[in-house]
Amino acid sequence: MNLLQNFPIGQYVPGHSFIHRLDPRCKLLYVLIFAVLVFMANDGLSYAILALFTLLIMKGSSISYRYILRGLKPVWFLLALTFLLHVLMTKGGTVYLAWGWLTVEAEGVRQAVFISVRLALLALFSSLLTLTTSPLELADGLERLLHPLSRVGVPVHEIALMLTIALRFIPTLLDETDKIIKAQASRGIDFETGGLWKRLRNLVAIVVPLFVSAFRRAEELALAMEARGYRGGEGRTKLRQLRFTWRDLLAFGIALILFAVIGWVRR
Amino acid sequence: MPIIFEQVTHIYGAGTPFEKEALSAVSFAIPDEAFVGIIGQTGSGKSTLVQHLNGLLKPTRGRIQVGDWQIEPSSRLPAEFRSNVGLVFQYPEHQLFEETVAKDVAFGPRNLGLSEEAALLRAKEALETVGLSYDELKDRSPFHLSGGQMRRVALAGVLAMQSKVLVLDEPTAGLDPAGRKEILEAIYRIHRERKLTTFLVTHSMEEASRYADFLLVMAEGKVVLQGTPAEVFAEEELLRHHALAVPQTVELIQQINASLPGEQQIPVTLFREEELQDYLLHRLRQTRAVIIPE
Ligand SMILES: Nc1ncnc2c1ncn2[C@@H]1O[C@H](COP(=O)(O)OP(=O)(O)OP(=O)(O)O)[C@@H](O)[C@H]1O
Ligand SMILES: [Mg+2]
């Protein structure tokens, strides 16, 4: 019944591993770099290298493999669907199986495997970002990376603040939802049976208290921020300054090597 | 309803880095119609424990018996089971949602399959039990009440279900002293009248000692002490060890006893305020010359 436990998006796991201690900007850029690498790769060997690299990062984050793989739950369906579509739709090469107009051909299998691996690697890699970076750091990093855009009038600080607040309150609201569902279940709501109308009515009993509490929290937060003198991003200084260290340098070095290797290996 | 816990363990987030054993092999047996006080520090597992009583949480290991129902890790409980046990959550005012107070309180009875009129009748009764006027409030929005009134409405929402077991998770947290007492007295009254089995989670030793005939003392997910209030308060050392104190009445008795000769000692079983008061007055009247050295 507990939503938070089953919520699949990679929730931050505090820690002190090498990956945890990288600068959030470095990690954000790395997700981009990795995406480019994944799209450069086009044969078994280059995918194997990238998979190995991902495995290494997983190890370096000192989070259990099982927990990281749980984060793939929401994309399993997508992966399976992509795989199936490619197997059936892409034509070319030897015909392995033919069943009426449905055929499975060599090129289809190849494409299906590659595309699924691509998706899986990207999902894994980006979930590693959120697993090892606190929401606050993440938003901070993003704000700094996007800072140049504020010159052309993009409200970077506001976007980052919204992101921070959203990320910060997802667990809180899930917790709250869990509690409200339990409280209404104690008042005899039966979520399993009944017609559509009754189920909709039941949903009201959850959504209304949830909204009320979300608005209350929002109001309290706004008040607390004002009470502490928040006046927007202008002239604001930070308690924790982001600083690149030798770790980030090493990470970027490794990225360069990866580019060279994948560029050389790919067909 | 008699309630039995056998070696009940509950682990939150099993298999994740956030794994937390909130209950560790908890065992106790509660007779029918008992008033049970559950005390313990913040985070000791009180709320986790009471959520097992109506099947909202299932034990990770162990077995629970509520009346004729068995709850085991793999049990599937029918929705009707929940109507046996009325559970009032911590800060229950956060569960209000209907347009009017009357509708909100009638929500539980309606879910039990009662007709509109029957449910509203129950709502009226329940609101009056918690000291609110039905006629005055029935058409008001529950969101426009004071905090204390909201609390009472939420409480009434569970009372209106008239279950045989009543579980209250800190029903008086954050209320004024007069309000606390009024609510607890109301609960105690229906506990007696309807012959309920009641669980009251509280941080206050005074509240626990006043109403409970059985106490469960929790610390770090374990029941470290259980028994009648007299038995529990006799273990002052152990209570202190878990950062809990005996009620002020017991403390007073102990302080007086410390300066009284052996045969004049006041029995420590007099932890209910009125009883102690009566006893002291009685003794003063009896022997005008009782000497209480400074
Ligand atoms: N949904 C949950 N997921 C994970 N851990 C939880 C959850 N609910 C409670 N816990 C943890 O279980 C332990 C016991 O919590 P519980 O709420 O039962 O304590 P409590 O005795 O009711 O405390 P309080 O007096 O503050 O209400 C705590 O350490 C808490 O952090
Ligand atoms: Mg609690």
Side-chain angles (χ1 to χ4, degrees), chain B residues 8-241:
Chain B
V8 173
T9 297
H10 188 88
I11 301 176
Y12 283 112
T16 71
F18 306 102
E19 192 168 289
K20 166 88 197 169
E21 185 165 318
L23 287 183
S24 322
V26 166
S27 301
F28 56 81
I30 305 294
D32 199 11
E33 294 175 35
F35 197 112
V36 183
I38 302 178
I39 34 190
Q41 271 194 295
T42 280
S44 54
K46 305 182 294 293
S47 299
T48 306
L49 185 127
V50 296
Q51 285 175 46
H52 282 82
L53 289 168
N54 72 346
L56 283 176
L57 293 179
K58 295 214 189 86
T60 311
R61 284 192 291 279
R63 207 172 65 89
I64 300 166
Q65 193 178 334
V66 179
D68 295 331
W69 303 83
Q70 303 277 345
I71 309 175
E72 281 170 28
S74 55
S75 306
R76 296 199 121 263
L77 296 161
E80 64 176 281
F81 167 73
R82 294 225 170 88
S83 63
N84 284 313
V85 182
L87 176 62
V88 182
F89 271 82
Q90 248 169 326
Y91 301 102
E93 55 272 29
H94 297 167
Q95 73 192 31
L96 301 172
F97 73 99
E98 284 279 15
E99 298 128 73
T100 69
V101 168
K103 270 193 190 172
D104 204 290
V105 178
F107 179 70
R110 287 300 306 266
N111 283 330
L112 296 180
L114 266 67
S115 70
E116 184 92 42
E117 298 87 76
L120 284 176
L121 208 67
R122 287 236 189 141
K124 182 170 156 70
E125 199 184 327
L127 279 168
E128 269 150 22
T129 306
V130 297
L132 293 174
S133 153
Y134 177 77
D135 294 314
E136 221 172 272
L137 291 178
K138 67 176 198 292
D139 295 322
R140 302 256 310 263
S141 158
F143 298 109
H144 293 161
L145 302 175
S146 79
Q149 285 173 321
M150 279 164 97
R151 177 77 55 89
R152 284 169 201 235
V153 169
L155 189 61
V158 174
L159 292 185
M161 296 179 66
Q162 302 193 348
S163 40
K164 289 306 280 180
V165 180
L166 188 57
V167 184
L168 305 127
D169 197 346
E170 298 190 42
T172 58
L175 294 184
D176 60 286
R180 294 177 82 112
K181 186 148 185 202
E182 202 184 331
I183 285 188
L184 288 173
E185 290 291 335
I187 289 165
Y188 194 59
R189 206 171 58 242
I190 57 166
H191 165 78
R192 302 289 291 270
E193 278 169 10
R194 296 198 199 144
K195 300 195 183 331
L196 305 180
T197 308
T198 306
F199 288 78
L200 174 71
V201 175
T202 173
H203 276 120
S204 153
M205 277 288 178
E206 277 70 35
E207 282 180 10
S209 60
R210 191 175 182 83
Y211 302 104
D213 10 75
F214 195 84
L215 287 183
L216 294 171
V217 181
M218 301 208 48
E220 286 157 17
K222 297 190 185 68
V223 171
V224 288
L225 207 54
Q226 55 178 308
T228 62
E231 284 165 358
V232 168
F233 298 146
E235 302 279 342
E236 206 187 333
E237 282 284 295
L238 196 61
L239 287 175
R240 286 250 151 82
H241 177 71

Side-chain angles (χ1 to χ4, degrees), chain A residues 51-72:
Chain A
L52 199 70
F53 179 63
T54 311
L55 216 64
L56 224 67
I57 304 261
M58 280 163 76
K59 181 121 189 72
S61 70
S62 56
I63 299 172
S64 79
Y65 293 128
R66 247 185 71 208
Y67 190 67
I68 300 175
L69 287 176
R70 268 170 64 137
L72 282 184

